Amino acid sequence: MQIFPNIYLLSGFAYQIHQNVYGIDIPGKNKMVLIDCGLGEEDLNMIEQNRILWGIQNREIDAVFITHSHYDHAGNAAFFEKMGCRIYAGGDADSLISGDEHTIGFAYGREFPVCEKVYKLQEGKCVPLAEDCKIVCHHTPGHTSGSMCYELICNGMKSIFTGDFVQAGENSGEVRLGVKVDSGYNYSEYVSSMRKMMESEADAVFPGHYGPWLAEGKRIFQLAYRELLVNRERYR
């Protein structure tokens, strides 16, 4: 599903698949990058079907940016690495190589397919995609210790991809937060990260589950910050 001229939902909520996979078409190049890559074969099939549907099947998938190491968002990273893609991640990069508990393979009853090499991104790192198009990395620990939000700045628009750090809910104006399934979960860090992201000037926010927030993107972080504080006992 094409959401903006250069942003596609390639797998996820609109296709009755829980985790979202986004594709960014790089202006002026016959390439695209993915934000997260899904759980397994169902996602891979849906990604390919949508690339054909929207006529972008000939775009080379140049890189995959992983928001965090959980299986449902990163399970296909090794597949794309074998296809020649660069795999990028924040502080969770080591888990994608080791397949440790932070991939939460235990929740899916299977072993995580590990990557050979993951390019580790730091807070504030800027990854240029094309002229006037770049990704800025925001380290947002809380849901996991190495969670990363990716801010796409392209053609004067700012879009932020959040993974599980913050999610739009099932209903309009609703927010959800990442669950406490990882030993790296940290409430205090979550609050600090959300306070930081509240200052962002996002035009749109693309979460790892449920639908995108296509107007007043900044507001989703404000609502999530309030949720963390008001219902703190639920998240501590």
Side-chain angles (χ1 to χ4, degrees):
M1 180 169 68
Q2 188 174 28
I3 301 175
F4 287 148
N6 65 324
I7 297 177
Y8 295 82
L9 178 73
L10 297 178
S11 184
F13 77 98
Y15 309 102
Q16 305 304 305
I17 296 174
H18 188 45
Q19 56 277 350
N20 294 332
V21 176
Y22 299 100
I24 299 170
D25 199 12
I26 303 175
K29 298 186 179 182
N30 196 34
K31 294 182 178 182
M32 65 188 315
V33 300
L34 302 184
I35 307 292
D36 287 340
C37 54
L39 175 63
E41 189 173 347
E42 184 180 27
D43 290 279
L44 293 176
N45 290 338
M46 188 57 65
I47 290 167
E48 191 55 31
Q49 287 177 37
N50 274 307
R51 275 163 51 81
I52 293 170
L53 176 66
W54 293 101
I56 53 174
Q57 68 271 27
N58 293 325
R59 303 281 202 279
E60 177 190 353
I61 299 178
D62 187 56
V64 180
F65 290 80
I66 301 295
T67 60
H68 62 296
S69 59
H70 289 172
Y71 208 132
D72 52 334
H73 297 269
N76 288 324
F79 170 86
F80 284 104
E81 182 183 41
K82 289 175 183 174
M83 297 295 291
C85 303
R86 283 192 169 207
I87 307 300
Y88 291 95
D92 286 352
D94 292 341
S95 293
L96 302 182
I97 295 172
S98 67
D100 64 20
E101 63 178 12
H102 300 297
T103 62
I104 64 168
F106 58 82
Y108 297 92
R110 55 177 119 167
E111 189 174 337
F112 183 83
V114 298
C115 296
E116 291 186 9
K117 182 175 183 178
V118 178
Y119 295 85
K120 185 178 285 191
L121 300 167
Q122 305 294 332
E123 163 70 26
K125 173 70 176 177
C126 178
V127 182
L129 300 180
E131 187 175 355
D132 297 323
C133 190
K134 61 185 178 181
I135 286 177
V136 179
C137 303
H138 302 283
H139 180 215
T140 52
H143 176 57
T144 73
S145 61
S147 285
M148 187 73 77
C149 288
Y150 297 109
E151 181 178 9
L152 174 69
I153 303 174
C154 199
N155 298 323
M157 185 172 184
K158 295 182 179 181
S159 302
I160 299 181
F161 300 83
T162 62
D164 283 357
F165 174 67
V166 63
Q167 307 161 23
E170 295 176 79
N171 301 308
S172 178
E174 205 174 65
V175 295
R176 290 181 179 233
L177 300 173
V179 297
K180 295 187 285 186
V181 69
D182 191 308
S183 60
Y185 180 96
N186 185 290
Y187 174 77
S188 296
E189 289 184 336
Y190 218 145
V191 171
S192 295
S193 296
M194 199 66 70
R195 187 183 299 118
K196 177 181 73 173
M197 295 306 295
M198 245 187 357
E199 300 303 316
S200 68
E201 296 297 334
D203 296 302
V205 172
F206 295 88
H209 300 286
Y210 307 105
W213 194 292
L214 300 181
E216 298 183 88
K218 181 177 180 176
R219 186 165 172 260
I220 194 172
F221 298 112
Q222 296 169 338
L223 291 174
Y225 183 65
R226 180 181 184 278
E227 172 69 9
L228 278 170
L229 296 183
V230 171
N231 295 307
R232 65 191 64 180
E233 296 307 318
R234 179 186 305 170
Y235 300 108
R236 280 181 168 168

